[in-house]
C-alpha cells in the first residue's frame, strides 16, 4: 500500500503559468482533500471531494480548480499562477467525510 | 478568526522527560480532535484522536486529554525520545453535525518539539 501519493514533489513556475498537481490514493477512500501550508499558518483547506463525483470549496479556493477524476484520483489545477500561491500543497484522503485523514508527502511549489 | 490555536511555537525537553503540547479552540461545535506529527519534507502523520464524548485517550507513549469546558486539549508524550522531534499540529472538526459535516479539519499553527538526548 503506497497510501497517498503526490506528483510532482517540487515545481517552480513563472507568474501566469498553469499546472496541475496530481494526487492518488490506494486505500479505497471515498473522501479526498487539498490543503496548503504556509509558514506560521498551519494547513488550510483549498477544496475537498466528499465522494466520487462531488467537489466543494474549502477555506481558500480562489485561484484553484479541482477534478475528482475517479475514486482514486483528485487533481488540483492552478490556471494562472501567482506568487501568493507559493506554498507546500498536501493531498489527503479519508474513508468518509469526518473520518481521520491521511496525508501525502506534499508538493513544494514556488511561483516567481 | 483562528478557531484552533497552538500558542507555543516551540518546546524543548530532555530525553526521558514528559512533553506536553497544548491546543485551544473556540468553536463549541467541534466534536472530534486529532494530533498530527510532521517531519521536514514529509506529510503530516496521524498520531492520535479523541472524540468529545471522552476526556482522555491513550496510545502507548501518547495520551490526549480533552477539557471541553475550557475548550482545551493537550498531548502528553511520556517518555520523550529524540525521534519525537517534529512539528505537532492539533486539528478539530465538526464530525457529527449532519449536512454541515464537510469533514473539514481546522488546524492549529503547529508546535515544534525538540527532544534533546
Amino acid at each position: 500500500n503506497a497510501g497517498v501519493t503526490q506528483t510532482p514533489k517540487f515545481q517552480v513556475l513563472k507568474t501566469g503559468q498553469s499546472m496541475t498537481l496530481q494526487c492518488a490514493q490506494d486505500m479505497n477512500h471515498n473522501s479526498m482533500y487539498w490543503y496548503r501550508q504556509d509558514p506560521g499558518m498551519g494547513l488550510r483547506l483549498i477544496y475537498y471531494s466528499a465522494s466520487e463525483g462531488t467537489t466543494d470549496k474549502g477555506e481558500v479556493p480562489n485561484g484553484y480548480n479541482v477534478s475528482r477524476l475517479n475514486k482514486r484520483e483528485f487533481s488540483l489545477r492552478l490556471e494562472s499562477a501567482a506568487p501568493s500561491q507559493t506554498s507546500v500543497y498536501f493531498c489527503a484522503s479519508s474513508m468518509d467525510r469526518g473520518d481521520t485523514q491521511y496525508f501525502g508527502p506534499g508538493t513544494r511549489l514556488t511561483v516567481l | 478568526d483562528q478557531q484552533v490555536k497552538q500558542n507555543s511555537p516551540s518546546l524543548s525537553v530532555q530525553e526521558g522527560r514528559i512533553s506536553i503540547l497544548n491546543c485551544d479552540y473556540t468553536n463549541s461545535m467541534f466534536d472530534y480532535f486529532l494530533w498530527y506529527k510532521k517531519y521536514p519534507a514529509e506529510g503530516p502523520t496521524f498520531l492520535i484522536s479523541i472524540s468529545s464524548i471522552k476526556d482522555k485517550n491513550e496510545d502507548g507513549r501518547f495520551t490526549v486529554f480533552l477539557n471541553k469546558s475550557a475548550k482545551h486539549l493537550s498531548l502528553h508524550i511520556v517518555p520523550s525520545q529524540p525521534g519525537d522531534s517534529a512539528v505537532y499540529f492539533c486539528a478539530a472538526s465538526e464530525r457529527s453535525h449532519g449536512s454541515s459535516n464537510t469533514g473539514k479539519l481546522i488546524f492549529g499553527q503547529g508546535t515544534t518539539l525538540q527532544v534533546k538526548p
Side-chain angles (χ1 to χ4, degrees):
Chain A
N1 263 5
V4 180
T5 57
Q6 293 182 235
T7 55
K9 285 188 166 30
F10 301 95
Q11 184 71 48
V12 178
L13 293 177
K14 294 181 180 177
T15 297
Q17 287 185 316
S18 63
M19 79 160 295
T20 301
L21 282 64
Q22 306 287 353
C23 173
Q25 52 89 11
D26 63 2
M27 296 178 282
N28 202 34
H29 285 174
N30 292 307
S31 301
M32 298 185 74
Y33 311 84
W34 275 104
Y35 291 88
R36 61 178 286 174
Q37 185 194 8
D38 300 299
M41 298 193 71
L43 283 80
R44 293 181 293 167
L45 183 66
I46 305 171
Y47 270 92
Y48 67 99
S49 170
S51 60
E52 189 178 354
T54 68
T55 61
D56 284 288
K57 295 178 181 178
E59 295 175 76
V60 288
N62 291 346
Y64 305 96
N65 284 301
V66 289
S67 295
R68 183 74 183 267
L69 304 169
N70 48 54
K71 189 171 185 179
R72 290 188 62 246
E73 298 172 288
F74 188 38
S75 63
L76 178 72
R77 183 159 178 83
L78 288 70
E79 289 291 352
S80 179
S84 61
Q85 294 177 304
T86 293
S87 189
V88 182
Y89 291 84
F90 292 102
C91 177
S93 70
S94 64
M95 182 55 71
D96 287 298
R97 62 182 187 180
D99 289 335
T100 299
Q101 295 179 23
Y102 296 89
F103 286 79
T107 294
R108 185 174 294 274
L109 175 67
T110 301
V111 183
L112 303 175
Chain B
D1 173 27
Q2 196 144 14
Q3 298 184 69
V4 178
K5 292 183 184 178
Q6 294 175 256
N7 291 316
S8 298
S10 62
L11 175 68
S12 182
V13 300
Q14 209 64 38
E15 180 178 6
R17 306 294 292 267
I18 184 171
S19 295
I20 300 177
L21 295 97
N22 294 303
C23 181
D24 296 297
Y25 62 96
T26 58
N27 186 345
S28 58
M29 301 294 278
F30 287 148
D31 58 3
Y32 187 54
F33 304 89
L34 308 91
W35 285 94
Y36 284 86
K37 173 176 162 179
K38 185 181 177 306
Y39 292 119
E42 294 185 12
T45 302
F46 170 68
L47 201 52
I48 192 168
S49 62
I50 187 167
S51 164
S52 61
I53 62 173
K54 294 186 171 184
D55 53 20
K56 176 182 173 183
N57 189 28
E58 199 169 348
D59 183 1
R61 296 186 297 113
F62 303 91
T63 303
V64 56
F65 295 92
L66 176 63
N67 182 334
K68 289 187 290 293
S69 60
K71 295 192 178 69
H72 177 84
L73 65 155
S74 61
L75 174 69
H76 292 209
I77 307 173
V78 184
S80 301
Q81 299 173 354
D84 296 329
S85 298
V87 179
Y88 289 79
F89 291 98
C90 70
S93 73
E94 299 178 37
R95 193 177 188 187
S96 308
H97 295 97
S99 61
S100 71
N101 173 15
T102 64
K104 185 170 86 171
L105 291 179
I106 306 297
F107 282 83
Q109 310 95 303
T111 296
T112 300
L113 173 65
Q114 182 186 29
V115 180
K116 296 179 180 176

